[in-house]
Amino acid sequence: MIKKIALALLLIFAIMQFFRPAKNTSATVAVANIATKYNTPANVQAVLKKACNDCHSNNTFYPWYAEVQPVGWWLNHHVDEGKGELNLDDFMNYNLRKQYHKLEEITEQVKTGEMPLDSYTWTHKDAILTIEEKALLTSWSESIRTQMQQQYPMDSLIRKKN
């Protein structure tokens, strides 16, 4: 009986390998990337690449274990969720209020340590942000918000507080 159950589970696992999610990769440069409009220095780009882009862009670097299902499905789900919250490659397609709010969320979530997710940094130790990298990202996002406030009427970006 145990042999039959083990064989059935092995067969199910083998069949699962034929059902793979689409990869989040793009061969083209994103024309709506945040860096197309806002200054994104090389040191900021490097931090975004190591800690953010896998889940928040159209180009994910997949580790070897992403080829094993159901792990690949789980990773795909995380990437879809991340891009649903913020896609740096689609940033310029957001309306101004959403851009402003997403920059505010970047600052808040980096400062509080919510991002990058613990589940990501467990397997990507290099994505753990140093104090200096957190300061770099937050000052970068704040500087863009300040630039937006100067360029556009304030009430078009943030809701009036009553």
Side-chain angles (χ1 to χ4, degrees), residues 29-111:
V29 175
V31 296
N33 185 285
I34 191 170
T36 61
K37 175 152 183 171
Y38 299 110
N39 181 34
T40 309
N43 57 348
V44 171
Q45 288 180 5
V47 174
L48 290 172
K49 182 178 180 181
K50 83 171 198 160
C52 308
N53 285 353
D54 277 349
C55 295
H56 297 288
S57 78
N58 294 333
N59 280 300
T60 300
F61 172 77
Y62 289 92
W64 66 268
Y65 50 84
E67 298 300 323
V68 179
Q69 306 314 317
V71 175
W73 299 335
W74 180 74
L75 289 174
N76 188 59
H77 175 71
H78 274 275
V79 170
D80 287 347
E81 278 187 339
K83 285 175 59 176
E85 287 297 319
L86 171 67
N87 186 343
L88 296 168
D89 282 337
D90 200 33
F91 190 84
M92 297 315 301
N93 290 331
Y94 297 160
N95 66 47
L96 288 174
R97 186 172 295 198
K98 185 173 181 178
Q99 288 179 19
Y100 187 87
H101 181 68
K102 291 301 173 183
L103 289 164
E104 188 175 43
E105 285 181 340
I106 288 171
T107 300
E108 179 184 315
Q109 292 184 356
V110 168
K111 276 185 179 178

Side-chain angles (χ1 to χ4, degrees), residues 20 43 49 55 58-59 121 128-129 142 147 149-150:
R20 298 175 182 274
N43 57 348
K49 182 178 180 181
C55 295
N58 294 333
N59 280 300
T121 58
I128 297 172
L129 297 175
E142 287 298 314
Q147 181 182 345
Q149 289 171 359
Q150 293 169 351

